Amino acid sequence: MSNQCNAGTFPGHGREFCNAEKNDDSIYMDYNATTPLAPEVIQATYEAMWDAWGNPSSSYVAGMKAKAIITQSRENVARMVGGDSRDIIFTSGGTEANNMVLHTAIEYFRRHHGGAKDGGDGILPHIITSDVEHDSVKLAAERLQKEGKAGCTFVPVSKTTGRVEADHVVAAVRPNTCLVSIMLANNETGTIMPVREISQRVRSLKQEDARVRVFIHTDAAQALGKIPVDVKDLGVDYLTIVGHKFYGPRIGALFVNDLEGKTPLIPMLFGGGQERNFRPGTENTPMIAGLGKAAELVTARLSDHESHMLHVREYLEERLKAVFKDKLHFNNHFQGSDRLPNTCNVSILGPGLQGWRVLSHCKKLLASVGAACHSDHGDRPSRILLSCGVAPEVASNALRLSVGRSTSREDVDAGVEDLQDAVKLLERKQ
C-alpha cells in the first residue's frame, strides 16, 4: 500500500487532512474486518457536519440541507443494491439490521398465526439459518430459541463446497417456518452462498400454502463492495448493509422489499417518528452522508475494484505457495464454489504455528485469524472452519488474509516475507 499522502483541506477550515490509508510501513490485510474511510467519504461526512448540522425534521436551512443529504444517501444506497429508495431504512449497523429482521419475522408470525406465548394454537415460529452466520444472526436466533419464542434449525455447510446447499435448506422447511436467513458471503472463507437458488426453491415450495409467509433474508455485509449485489436477482425480502465493510462509516441500512406494501418491518424502538416510524431517533446526518457516498463509489467503481482485488489475491496465493510449498493448506478452496475476490484463508502447517502466534511475531503484517469479533478466543480453532470440515489442528493455524482496493503486489511481497520471517523464528524456538 503506497505511503503517498494526497493532502487536501476541509471546506471552511484550514486544517489539512491525509487521504492515505496508513502512515507507516505496516501491511494491512484485514479488510474483511473493517475498511478505512474512502477520502470522498471523509469529505462528505465533514461537509455534512459543517453545513448540515440542523435537525432534518426542521424547516430552516441547516435542517433542510440535512434532509436533502439523507434523501440523496438513501437513493445512493438503494441504487447500490438495485432497490428502491423507499425500501431503505438506516440503522446503527449490521447487528441492529439483522436483529430487526428476526424480531419482525417472529412478531409477524405471532400476530398472524398465534403462538405458544400468546395462548394461541401453541405452534412456535420456526427460523432456518446456517451454522456459519455472523453472531448477530446466530446468537439472536439462539436467544429466541432459549426463551421459547421460536424453534431454530442451523443448517450445516457442505464439507465439499463450503456453502449452504439449497437442498438442505428446503429439507428444513416446516409448515411453521417464518424466516430463512442465509448470509450472502462468509466473512472467514469468502464463500458465496447460493441465496438466489435458495430464494427460488423456498418460494416454489410454499406456493401451495398461501396462508404461510416465509421471509427470505441475507446478510450482505461481506459481499457489498466486492461483488455485484442485486436484491431483485437474489429474490430476498430483506438485505443487510454494513458501511464499514465498503469504505464507509460504521452505520448500516436494511433493505426491505416493498416496505410499505407486502413486506413488514416491525420496529424495535419507539420515539419521534423518524424513518417513517420504523427506526425512530434523530438521524445521524454525517454518518448517513458518508454511507451514501460510499455506496455511490461502489456503484461507480465496483468492476475495477473487484478486478484489482482478484488480481492481488491470486498473486498473494501464488507467493504463499512459492514460499511455504507443502507446508501450506488453503482452507477456502472448495470444489464448485465461488468466493469473494479478496479473501484468502490459509494455514501454515506445523507445531507451534497457530495463527495468532504467527501474527504476533510479524513486524509489518496486520491480519487476523478469523472474525474480528472473536479475536479474544486465542488459539481455539474457528467454528466456521470446523463446520467446513477443516481439521482442528489445521484450523488452529489459520490466517485470514483479506486484501483491499489499494493493496499492491509490493504489499503482498512484503507481507509474505514478514510471514516467512515469523515462521522461521517460531520454528527455531521449537
Side-chain angles (χ1 to χ4, degrees), residues 332-366:
N332 62 342
H333 287 191
F334 296 108
Q335 180 181 346
S337 293
D338 294 324
R339 59 184 165 123
L340 296 174
N342 78 318
T343 307
C344 169
N345 195 304
V346 64
S347 294
I348 302 170
L349 305 178
L353 298 181
Q354 292 88 354
W356 68 269
R357 194 183 301 276
V358 171
L359 290 176
S360 70
H361 283 75
C362 288
K363 296 180 179 180
K364 297 181 179 180
L365 180 64
L366 305 177

PDB file of all heavy atoms in Angstrom, residues 332-366:
ATOM      1  N   ASN A 332     -10.079 -22.405   2.117  1.00  0.00           N
ATOM      2  CA  ASN A 332     -11.308 -21.956   1.449  1.00  0.00           C
ATOM      3  C   ASN A 332     -11.306 -22.236  -0.047  1.00  0.00           C
ATOM      4  O   ASN A 332     -11.984 -21.560  -0.806  1.00  0.00           O
ATOM      5  CB  ASN A 332     -11.538 -20.462   1.706  1.00  0.00           C
ATOM      6  CG  ASN A 332     -10.418 -19.578   1.145  1.00  0.00           C
ATOM      7  OD1 ASN A 332      -9.324 -20.049   0.850  1.00  0.00           O
ATOM      8  ND2 ASN A 332     -10.699 -18.289   1.011  1.00  0.00           N
ATOM      9  N   HIS A 333     -10.541 -23.243  -0.462  1.00  0.00           N
ATOM     10  CA  HIS A 333     -10.587 -23.674  -1.865  1.00  0.00           C
ATOM     11  C   HIS A 333     -11.573 -24.836  -1.970  1.00  0.00           C
ATOM     12  O   HIS A 333     -11.196 -26.005  -1.859  1.00  0.00           O
ATOM     13  CB  HIS A 333      -9.202 -24.093  -2.345  1.00  0.00           C
ATOM     14  CG  HIS A 333      -8.280 -22.926  -2.559  1.00  0.00           C
ATOM     15  ND1 HIS A 333      -7.067 -23.054  -3.197  1.00  0.00           N
ATOM     16  CD2 HIS A 333      -8.386 -21.618  -2.226  1.00  0.00           C
ATOM     17  CE1 HIS A 333      -6.470 -21.866  -3.244  1.00  0.00           C
ATOM     18  NE2 HIS A 333      -7.258 -20.990  -2.651  1.00  0.00           N
ATOM     19  N   PHE A 334     -12.849 -24.516  -2.178  1.00  0.00           N
ATOM     20  CA  PHE A 334     -13.880 -25.546  -2.201  1.00  0.00           C
ATOM     21  C   PHE A 334     -14.330 -25.816  -3.629  1.00  0.00           C
ATOM     22  O   PHE A 334     -14.545 -24.884  -4.412  1.00  0.00           O
ATOM     23  CB  PHE A 334     -15.087 -25.107  -1.365  1.00  0.00           C
ATOM     24  CG  PHE A 334     -14.788 -24.944   0.092  1.00  0.00           C
ATOM     25  CD1 PHE A 334     -14.728 -23.685   0.663  1.00  0.00           C
ATOM     26  CD2 PHE A 334     -14.554 -26.046   0.896  1.00  0.00           C
ATOM     27  CE1 PHE A 334     -14.451 -23.525   2.013  1.00  0.00           C
ATOM     28  CE2 PHE A 334     -14.273 -25.903   2.237  1.00  0.00           C
ATOM     29  CZ  PHE A 334     -14.220 -24.635   2.793  1.00  0.00           C
ATOM     30  N   GLN A 335     -14.475 -27.077  -3.936  1.00  0.00           N
ATOM     31  CA  GLN A 335     -14.863 -27.505  -5.276  1.00  0.00           C
ATOM     32  C   GLN A 335     -16.243 -26.974  -5.652  1.00  0.00           C
ATOM     33  O   GLN A 335     -17.219 -27.134  -4.924  1.00  0.00           O
ATOM     34  CB  GLN A 335     -14.863 -29.034  -5.340  1.00  0.00           C
ATOM     35  CG  GLN A 335     -15.252 -29.606  -6.691  1.00  0.00           C
ATOM     36  CD  GLN A 335     -15.252 -31.132  -6.666  1.00  0.00           C
ATOM     37  OE1 GLN A 335     -14.735 -31.745  -5.742  1.00  0.00           O
ATOM     38  NE2 GLN A 335     -15.830 -31.732  -7.688  1.00  0.00           N
ATOM     39  N   GLY A 336     -16.310 -26.290  -6.778  1.00  0.00           N
ATOM     40  CA  GLY A 336     -17.583 -25.839  -7.316  1.00  0.00           C
ATOM     41  C   GLY A 336     -18.180 -24.615  -6.659  1.00  0.00           C
ATOM     42  O   GLY A 336     -19.316 -24.239  -6.960  1.00  0.00           O
ATOM     43  N   SER A 337     -17.437 -23.952  -5.762  1.00  0.00           N
ATOM     44  CA  SER A 337     -17.963 -22.772  -5.075  1.00  0.00           C
ATOM     45  C   SER A 337     -17.207 -21.515  -5.483  1.00  0.00           C
ATOM     46  O   SER A 337     -15.987 -21.545  -5.664  1.00  0.00           O
ATOM     47  CB  SER A 337     -17.861 -22.942  -3.550  1.00  0.00           C
ATOM     48  OG  SER A 337     -18.719 -23.958  -3.107  1.00  0.00           O
ATOM     49  N   ASP A 338     -17.945 -20.431  -5.617  1.00  0.00           N
ATOM     50  CA  ASP A 338     -17.329 -19.133  -5.845  1.00  0.00           C
ATOM     51  C   ASP A 338     -16.980 -18.513  -4.502  1.00  0.00           C
ATOM     52  O   ASP A 338     -17.596 -18.818  -3.481  1.00  0.00           O
ATOM     53  CB  ASP A 338     -18.293 -18.218  -6.598  1.00  0.00           C
ATOM     54  CG  ASP A 338     -18.576 -18.714  -8.004  1.00  0.00           C
ATOM     55  OD1 ASP A 338     -17.643 -19.268  -8.632  1.00  0.00           O
ATOM     56  OD2 ASP A 338     -19.722 -18.569  -8.468  1.00  0.00           O
ATOM     57  N   ARG A 339     -16.004 -17.614  -4.515  1.00  0.00           N
ATOM     58  CA  ARG A 339     -15.666 -16.892  -3.286  1.00  0.00           C
ATOM     59  C   ARG A 339     -15.357 -15.448  -3.604  1.00  0.00           C
ATOM     60  O   ARG A 339     -15.161 -15.074  -4.766  1.00  0.00           O
ATOM     61  CB  ARG A 339     -14.485 -17.555  -2.564  1.00  0.00           C
ATOM     62  CG  ARG A 339     -13.209 -17.658  -3.369  1.00  0.00           C
ATOM     63  CD  ARG A 339     -12.137 -18.415  -2.579  1.00  0.00           C
ATOM     64  NE  ARG A 339     -11.040 -18.830  -3.432  1.00  0.00           N
ATOM     65  CZ  ARG A 339      -9.769 -18.505  -3.221  1.00  0.00           C
ATOM     66  NH1 ARG A 339      -9.446 -17.748  -2.187  1.00  0.00           N
ATOM     67  NH2 ARG A 339      -8.831 -18.927  -4.036  1.00  0.00           N
ATOM     68  N   LEU A 340     -15.321 -14.661  -2.569  1.00  0.00           N
ATOM     69  CA  LEU A 340     -15.051 -13.241  -2.728  1.00  0.00           C
ATOM     70  C   LEU A 340     -13.685 -13.038  -3.364  1.00  0.00           C
ATOM     71  O   LEU A 340     -12.756 -13.821  -3.117  1.00  0.00           O
ATOM     72  CB  LEU A 340     -15.102 -12.538  -1.369  1.00  0.00           C
ATOM     73  CG  LEU A 340     -16.450 -12.542  -0.663  1.00  0.00           C
ATOM     74  CD1 LEU A 340     -16.317 -11.940   0.736  1.00  0.00           C
ATOM     75  CD2 LEU A 340     -17.487 -11.775  -1.474  1.00  0.00           C
ATOM     76  N   PRO A 341     -13.520 -11.991  -4.159  1.00  0.00           N
ATOM     77  CA  PRO A 341     -12.264 -11.802  -4.883  1.00  0.00           C
ATOM     78  C   PRO A 341     -11.092 -11.386  -3.995  1.00  0.00           C
ATOM     79  O   PRO A 341      -9.959 -11.388  -4.456  1.00  0.00           O
ATOM     80  CB  PRO A 341     -12.601 -10.672  -5.868  1.00  0.00           C
ATOM     81  CG  PRO A 341     -13.698  -9.918  -5.214  1.00  0.00           C
ATOM     82  CD  PRO A 341     -14.508 -10.952  -4.495  1.00  0.00           C
ATOM     83  N   ASN A 342     -11.361 -11.077  -2.734  1.00  0.00           N
ATOM     84  CA  ASN A 342     -10.294 -10.526  -1.897  1.00  0.00           C
ATOM     85  C   ASN A 342      -9.854 -11.426  -0.761  1.00  0.00           C
ATOM     86  O   ASN A 342      -8.964 -11.058   0.011  1.00  0.00           O
ATOM     87  CB  ASN A 342     -10.749  -9.194  -1.284  1.00  0.00           C
ATOM     88  CG  ASN A 342     -11.685  -9.392  -0.105  1.00  0.00           C
ATOM     89  OD1 ASN A 342     -12.576 -10.243  -0.141  1.00  0.00           O
ATOM     90  ND2 ASN A 342     -11.487  -8.619   0.943  1.00  0.00           N
ATOM     91  N   THR A 343     -10.474 -12.603  -0.603  1.00  0.00           N
ATOM     92  CA  THR A 343     -10.319 -13.369   0.638  1.00  0.00           C
ATOM     93  C   THR A 343      -9.490 -14.632   0.454  1.00  0.00           C
ATOM     94  O   THR A 343      -9.801 -15.479  -0.385  1.00  0.00           O
ATOM     95  CB  THR A 343     -11.698 -13.747   1.209  1.00  0.00           C
ATOM     96  OG1 THR A 343     -12.495 -12.562   1.338  1.00  0.00           O
ATOM     97  CG2 THR A 343     -11.561 -14.413   2.560  1.00  0.00           C
ATOM     98  N   CYS A 344      -8.455 -14.748   1.288  1.00  0.00           N
ATOM     99  CA  CYS A 344      -7.606 -15.937   1.330  1.00  0.00           C
ATOM    100  C   CYS A 344      -7.572 -16.434   2.769  1.00  0.00           C
ATOM    101  O   CYS A 344      -7.210 -15.682   3.681  1.00  0.00           O
ATOM    102  CB  CYS A 344      -6.189 -15.590   0.851  1.00  0.00           C
ATOM    103  SG  CYS A 344      -4.955 -16.885   1.139  1.00  0.00           S
ATOM    104  N   ASN A 345      -7.961 -17.675   2.984  1.00  0.00           N
ATOM    105  CA  ASN A 345      -7.873 -18.283   4.310  1.00  0.00           C
ATOM    106  C   ASN A 345      -6.903 -19.447   4.212  1.00  0.00           C
ATOM    107  O   ASN A 345      -7.138 -20.397   3.459  1.00  0.00           O
ATOM    108  CB  ASN A 345      -9.245 -18.749   4.792  1.00  0.00           C
ATOM    109  CG  ASN A 345      -9.261 -19.042   6.281  1.00  0.00           C
ATOM    110  OD1 ASN A 345      -8.480 -19.846   6.788  1.00  0.00           O
ATOM    111  ND2 ASN A 345     -10.150 -18.357   6.994  1.00  0.00           N
ATOM    112  N   VAL A 346      -5.817 -19.367   4.948  1.00  0.00           N
ATOM    113  CA  VAL A 346      -4.711 -20.295   4.752  1.00  0.00           C
ATOM    114  C   VAL A 346      -4.085 -20.689   6.086  1.00  0.00           C
ATOM    115  O   VAL A 346      -4.083 -19.901   7.038  1.00  0.00           O
ATOM    116  CB  VAL A 346      -3.645 -19.643   3.831  1.00  0.00           C
ATOM    117  CG1 VAL A 346      -3.024 -18.423   4.492  1.00  0.00           C
ATOM    118  CG2 VAL A 346      -2.598 -20.640   3.392  1.00  0.00           C
ATOM    119  N   SER A 347      -3.586 -21.906   6.160  1.00  0.00           N
ATOM    120  CA  SER A 347      -2.862 -22.377   7.340  1.00  0.00           C
ATOM    121  C   SER A 347      -1.443 -22.756   6.949  1.00  0.00           C
ATOM    122  O   SER A 347      -1.227 -23.421   5.922  1.00  0.00           O
ATOM    123  CB  SER A 347      -3.559 -23.594   7.963  1.00  0.00           C
ATOM    124  OG  SER A 347      -4.818 -23.250   8.492  1.00  0.00           O
ATOM    125  N   ILE A 348      -0.485 -22.326   7.750  1.00  0.00           N
ATOM    126  CA  ILE A 348       0.897 -22.756   7.596  1.00  0.00           C
ATOM    127  C   ILE A 348       1.089 -23.900   8.574  1.00  0.00           C
ATOM    128  O   ILE A 348       0.993 -23.728   9.794  1.00  0.00           O
ATOM    129  CB  ILE A 348       1.874 -21.600   7.883  1.00  0.00           C
ATOM    130  CG1 ILE A 348       1.577 -20.428   6.947  1.00  0.00           C
ATOM    131  CG2 ILE A 348       3.319 -22.060   7.710  1.00  0.00           C
ATOM    132  CD1 ILE A 348       2.315 -19.151   7.302  1.00  0.00           C
ATOM    133  N   LEU A 349       1.324 -25.089   8.051  1.00  0.00           N
ATOM    134  CA  LEU A 349       1.289 -26.307   8.849  1.00  0.00           C
ATOM    135  C   LEU A 349       2.558 -26.470   9.672  1.00  0.00           C
ATOM    136  O   LEU A 349       3.659 -26.161   9.222  1.00  0.00           O
ATOM    137  CB  LEU A 349       1.089 -27.514   7.939  1.00  0.00           C
ATOM    138  CG  LEU A 349      -0.140 -27.447   7.008  1.00  0.00           C
ATOM    139  CD1 LEU A 349      -0.200 -28.687   6.130  1.00  0.00           C
ATOM    140  CD2 LEU A 349      -1.416 -27.286   7.821  1.00  0.00           C
ATOM    141  N   GLY A 350       2.352 -26.975  10.883  1.00  0.00           N
ATOM    142  CA  GLY A 350       3.491 -27.248  11.752  1.00  0.00           C
ATOM    143  C   GLY A 350       3.166 -26.942  13.195  1.00  0.00           C
ATOM    144  O   GLY A 350       2.327 -26.081  13.483  1.00  0.00           O
ATOM    145  N   PRO A 351       3.806 -27.627  14.130  1.00  0.00           N
ATOM    146  CA  PRO A 351       3.550 -27.377  15.552  1.00  0.00           C
ATOM    147  C   PRO A 351       4.016 -25.979  15.945  1.00  0.00           C
ATOM    148  O   PRO A 351       5.027 -25.478  15.457  1.00  0.00           O
ATOM    149  CB  PRO A 351       4.394 -28.457  16.254  1.00  0.00           C
ATOM    150  CG  PRO A 351       5.461 -28.826  15.269  1.00  0.00           C
ATOM    151  CD  PRO A 351       4.829 -28.678  13.915  1.00  0.00           C
ATOM    152  N   GLY A 352       3.245 -25.358  16.823  1.00  0.00           N
ATOM    153  CA  GLY A 352       3.615 -24.036  17.308  1.00  0.00           C
ATOM    154  C   GLY A 352       3.360 -22.913  16.325  1.00  0.00           C
ATOM    155  O   GLY A 352       3.768 -21.771  16.572  1.00  0.00           O
ATOM    156  N   LEU A 353       2.667 -23.210  15.208  1.00  0.00           N
ATOM    157  CA  LEU A 353       2.408 -22.183  14.194  1.00  0.00           C
ATOM    158  C   LEU A 353       0.936 -21.780  14.176  1.00  0.00           C
ATOM    159  O   LEU A 353       0.373 -21.504  13.118  1.00  0.00           O
ATOM    160  CB  LEU A 353       2.836 -22.688  12.808  1.00  0.00           C
ATOM    161  CG  LEU A 353       4.312 -23.007  12.638  1.00  0.00           C
ATOM    162  CD1 LEU A 353       4.611 -23.465  11.214  1.00  0.00           C
ATOM    163  CD2 LEU A 353       5.180 -21.801  13.003  1.00  0.00           C
ATOM    164  N   GLN A 354       0.326 -21.729  15.359  1.00  0.00           N
ATOM    165  CA  GLN A 354      -1.051 -21.263  15.440  1.00  0.00           C
ATOM    166  C   GLN A 354      -1.127 -19.856  14.841  1.00  0.00           C
ATOM    167  O   GLN A 354      -0.192 -19.060  14.967  1.00  0.00           O
ATOM    168  CB  GLN A 354      -1.536 -21.234  16.888  1.00  0.00           C
ATOM    169  CG  GLN A 354      -1.693 -22.613  17.509  1.00  0.00           C
ATOM    170  CD  GLN A 354      -0.422 -23.125  18.150  1.00  0.00           C
ATOM    171  OE1 GLN A 354       0.631 -22.496  18.033  1.00  0.00           O
ATOM    172  NE2 GLN A 354      -0.507 -24.261  18.819  1.00  0.00           N
ATOM    173  N   GLY A 355      -2.260 -19.582  14.222  1.00  0.00           N
ATOM    174  CA  GLY A 355      -2.390 -18.316  13.521  1.00  0.00           C
ATOM    175  C   GLY A 355      -2.082 -17.099  14.375  1.00  0.00           C
ATOM    176  O   GLY A 355      -1.352 -16.193  13.960  1.00  0.00           O
ATOM    177  N   TRP A 356      -2.634 -17.071  15.581  1.00  0.00           N
ATOM    178  CA  TRP A 356      -2.409 -15.910  16.449  1.00  0.00           C
ATOM    179  C   TRP A 356      -0.947 -15.772  16.818  1.00  0.00           C
ATOM    180  O   TRP A 356      -0.419 -14.665  16.957  1.00  0.00           O
ATOM    181  CB  TRP A 356      -3.261 -16.021  17.720  1.00  0.00           C
ATOM    182  CG  TRP A 356      -2.849 -17.144  18.646  1.00  0.00           C
ATOM    183  CD1 TRP A 356      -3.314 -18.425  18.643  1.00  0.00           C
ATOM    184  CD2 TRP A 356      -1.889 -17.072  19.706  1.00  0.00           C
ATOM    185  NE1 TRP A 356      -2.696 -19.172  19.627  1.00  0.00           N
ATOM    186  CE2 TRP A 356      -1.824 -18.355  20.303  1.00  0.00           C
ATOM    187  CE3 TRP A 356      -1.083 -16.054  20.207  1.00  0.00           C
ATOM    188  CZ2 TRP A 356      -0.983 -18.653  21.375  1.00  0.00           C
ATOM    189  CZ3 TRP A 356      -0.230 -16.334  21.280  1.00  0.00           C
ATOM    190  CH2 TRP A 356      -0.189 -17.624  21.852  1.00  0.00           C
ATOM    191  N   ARG A 357      -0.261 -16.929  16.953  1.00  0.00           N
ATOM    192  CA  ARG A 357       1.157 -16.891  17.337  1.00  0.00           C
ATOM    193  C   ARG A 357       2.004 -16.360  16.173  1.00  0.00           C
ATOM    194  O   ARG A 357       2.930 -15.554  16.371  1.00  0.00           O
ATOM    195  CB  ARG A 357       1.613 -18.299  17.723  1.00  0.00           C
ATOM    196  CG  ARG A 357       2.952 -18.330  18.460  1.00  0.00           C
ATOM    197  CD  ARG A 357       3.381 -19.769  18.738  1.00  0.00           C
ATOM    198  NE  ARG A 357       2.400 -20.488  19.538  1.00  0.00           N
ATOM    199  CZ  ARG A 357       2.350 -20.429  20.868  1.00  0.00           C
ATOM    200  NH1 ARG A 357       3.217 -19.689  21.524  1.00  0.00           N
ATOM    201  NH2 ARG A 357       1.433 -21.119  21.521  1.00  0.00           N
ATOM    202  N   VAL A 358       1.689 -16.803  14.979  1.00  0.00           N
ATOM    203  CA  VAL A 358       2.428 -16.324  13.807  1.00  0.00           C
ATOM    204  C   VAL A 358       2.254 -14.815  13.652  1.00  0.00           C
ATOM    205  O   VAL A 358       3.221 -14.070  13.469  1.00  0.00           O
ATOM    206  CB  VAL A 358       1.967 -17.062  12.526  1.00  0.00           C
ATOM    207  CG1 VAL A 358       2.567 -16.415  11.285  1.00  0.00           C
ATOM    208  CG2 VAL A 358       2.333 -18.540  12.595  1.00  0.00           C
ATOM    209  N   LEU A 359       0.999 -14.352  13.743  1.00  0.00           N
ATOM    210  CA  LEU A 359       0.742 -12.922  13.566  1.00  0.00           C
ATOM    211  C   LEU A 359       1.399 -12.083  14.656  1.00  0.00           C
ATOM    212  O   LEU A 359       1.845 -10.958  14.407  1.00  0.00           O
ATOM    213  CB  LEU A 359      -0.762 -12.663  13.541  1.00  0.00           C
ATOM    214  CG  LEU A 359      -1.502 -13.165  12.307  1.00  0.00           C
ATOM    215  CD1 LEU A 359      -3.004 -12.935  12.447  1.00  0.00           C
ATOM    216  CD2 LEU A 359      -0.989 -12.479  11.041  1.00  0.00           C
ATOM    217  N   SER A 360       1.484 -12.632  15.867  1.00  0.00           N
ATOM    218  CA  SER A 360       2.107 -11.870  16.955  1.00  0.00           C
ATOM    219  C   SER A 360       3.600 -11.695  16.752  1.00  0.00           C
ATOM    220  O   SER A 360       4.216 -10.825  17.373  1.00  0.00           O
ATOM    221  CB  SER A 360       1.850 -12.557  18.305  1.00  0.00           C
ATOM    222  OG  SER A 360       2.579 -13.781  18.406  1.00  0.00           O
ATOM    223  N   HIS A 361       4.206 -12.513  15.868  1.00  0.00           N
ATOM    224  CA  HIS A 361       5.635 -12.403  15.577  1.00  0.00           C
ATOM    225  C   HIS A 361       5.897 -11.649  14.270  1.00  0.00           C
ATOM    226  O   HIS A 361       7.056 -11.485  13.879  1.00  0.00           O
ATOM    227  CB  HIS A 361       6.279 -13.790  15.518  1.00  0.00           C
ATOM    228  CG  HIS A 361       6.514 -14.384  16.880  1.00  0.00           C
ATOM    229  ND1 HIS A 361       5.507 -14.905  17.652  1.00  0.00           N
ATOM    230  CD2 HIS A 361       7.660 -14.526  17.614  1.00  0.00           C
ATOM    231  CE1 HIS A 361       5.994 -15.356  18.791  1.00  0.00           C
ATOM    232  NE2 HIS A 361       7.295 -15.135  18.804  1.00  0.00           N
ATOM    233  N   CYS A 362       4.833 -11.222  13.604  1.00  0.00           N
ATOM    234  CA  CYS A 362       5.004 -10.412  12.389  1.00  0.00           C
ATOM    235  C   CYS A 362       5.296  -8.960  12.762  1.00  0.00           C
ATOM    236  O   CYS A 362       4.717  -8.427  13.718  1.00  0.00           O
ATOM    237  CB  CYS A 362       3.742 -10.473  11.517  1.00  0.00           C
ATOM    238  SG  CYS A 362       3.490 -12.065  10.689  1.00  0.00           S
ATOM    239  N   LYS A 363       6.170  -8.337  12.030  1.00  0.00           N
ATOM    240  CA  LYS A 363       6.545  -6.952  12.313  1.00  0.00           C
ATOM    241  C   LYS A 363       5.759  -5.952  11.470  1.00  0.00           C
ATOM    242  O   LYS A 363       5.634  -4.788  11.855  1.00  0.00           O
ATOM    243  CB  LYS A 363       8.048  -6.768  12.068  1.00  0.00           C
ATOM    244  CG  LYS A 363       8.920  -7.585  13.009  1.00  0.00           C
ATOM    245  CD  LYS A 363      10.405  -7.374  12.716  1.00  0.00           C
ATOM    246  CE  LYS A 363      11.271  -8.182  13.677  1.00  0.00           C
ATOM    247  NZ  LYS A 363      12.721  -7.999  13.401  1.00  0.00           N
ATOM    248  N   LYS A 364       5.233  -6.391  10.334  1.00  0.00           N
ATOM    249  CA  LYS A 364       4.535  -5.475   9.434  1.00  0.00           C
ATOM    250  C   LYS A 364       3.103  -5.898   9.131  1.00  0.00           C
ATOM    251  O   LYS A 364       2.221  -5.054   9.008  1.00  0.00           O
ATOM    252  CB  LYS A 364       5.294  -5.366   8.108  1.00  0.00           C
ATOM    253  CG  LYS A 364       6.695  -4.782   8.210  1.00  0.00           C
ATOM    254  CD  LYS A 364       7.335  -4.703   6.828  1.00  0.00           C
ATOM    255  CE  LYS A 364       8.732  -4.111   6.897  1.00  0.00           C
ATOM    256  NZ  LYS A 364       9.352  -4.033   5.546  1.00  0.00           N
ATOM    257  N   LEU A 365       2.878  -7.183   9.006  1.00  0.00           N
ATOM    258  CA  LEU A 365       1.586  -7.669   8.539  1.00  0.00           C
ATOM    259  C   LEU A 365       0.507  -7.504   9.597  1.00  0.00           C
ATOM    260  O   LEU A 365       0.674  -7.934  10.749  1.00  0.00           O
ATOM    261  CB  LEU A 365       1.691  -9.138   8.142  1.00  0.00           C
ATOM    262  CG  LEU A 365       0.404  -9.798   7.619  1.00  0.00           C
ATOM    263  CD1 LEU A 365      -0.046  -9.141   6.319  1.00  0.00           C
ATOM    264  CD2 LEU A 365       0.606 -11.296   7.437  1.00  0.00           C
ATOM    265  N   LEU A 366      -0.589  -6.893   9.207  1.00  0.00           N
ATOM    266  CA  LEU A 366      -1.767  -6.747  10.063  1.00  0.00           C
ATOM    267  C   LEU A 366      -2.881  -7.582   9.451  1.00  0.00           C
ATOM    268  O   LEU A 366      -3.400  -7.253   8.384  1.00  0.00           O
ATOM    269  CB  LEU A 366      -2.186  -5.286  10.158  1.00  0.00           C
ATOM    270  CG  LEU A 366      -1.116  -4.294  10.621  1.00  0.00           C
ATOM    271  CD1 LEU A 366      -1.658  -2.869  10.589  1.00  0.00           C
ATOM    272  CD2 LEU A 366      -0.623  -4.644  12.017  1.00  0.00           C
TER     273      LEU A 366
END
